[in-house]
Amino acid sequence: LFHKVNKSTVNLSRSYHKSSAVVNPSLHTIMTSTLDLATRHYTLYSTGIDLSSAKAPSIEDREIYTAAMLVCSAADGDLHEEEEKWIVGHQAAFGVPQSILD
């Protein structure tokens, strides 16, 4: 059963990554592929953006957008912990580098 799950995950991953074939997947590779699939799914169904064909915003644009979300969330005078956690998680799902999220 585990072999079938691995094979299915790799085949699904290949459909998103046509340029990279996984010959001998390790658990790390499968988890990375699953995380990538989850990110692509979340982005597509929450925003309509297909990450397999969309051009990513620049690092500077992602930093500005993250800052804008934080400023807007703090407009009531407080940046609540739950708001910050949501913004960090949301931006991480869209591939914002850790250096910006810190």
Side-chain angles (χ1 to χ4, degrees):
L1 179 61
F2 186 69
H3 176 70
K4 288 180 183 178
V5 171
N6 289 349
K7 187 174 182 181
S8 297
T9 303
V10 171
N11 289 337
L12 184 56
S13 175
R14 283 183 182 156
S15 70
Y16 280 97
H17 303 286
K18 294 177 182 166
S19 63
S20 64
V22 179
V23 178
N24 293 314
S26 66
L27 183 57
H28 174 72
T29 302
I30 291 166
M31 291 180 79
T32 302
S33 298
T34 302
L35 177 60
D36 184 57
L37 290 172
T39 299
R40 290 174 185 276
H41 174 83
Y42 175 80
T43 305
L44 181 62
Y45 290 99
S46 68
T47 67
I49 298 170
D50 182 357
L51 291 177
S52 63
S53 63
K55 182 181 174 212
S58 69
I59 298 294
E60 181 183 11
D61 288 343
R62 288 184 261 180
E63 184 173 19
I64 291 167
Y65 183 63
T66 302
M69 290 175 66
L70 291 167
V71 167
C72 290
S73 293
D76 63 356
D78 273 327
L79 176 60
H80 300 281
E81 184 179 344
E82 290 302 313
E83 292 172 323
E84 184 177 7
K85 284 180 184 178
W86 186 90
I87 291 168
V88 168
H90 176 78
Q91 292 301 85
F94 283 96
V96 172
Q98 187 65 44
S99 60
I100 293 173
L101 300 176
D102 287 339

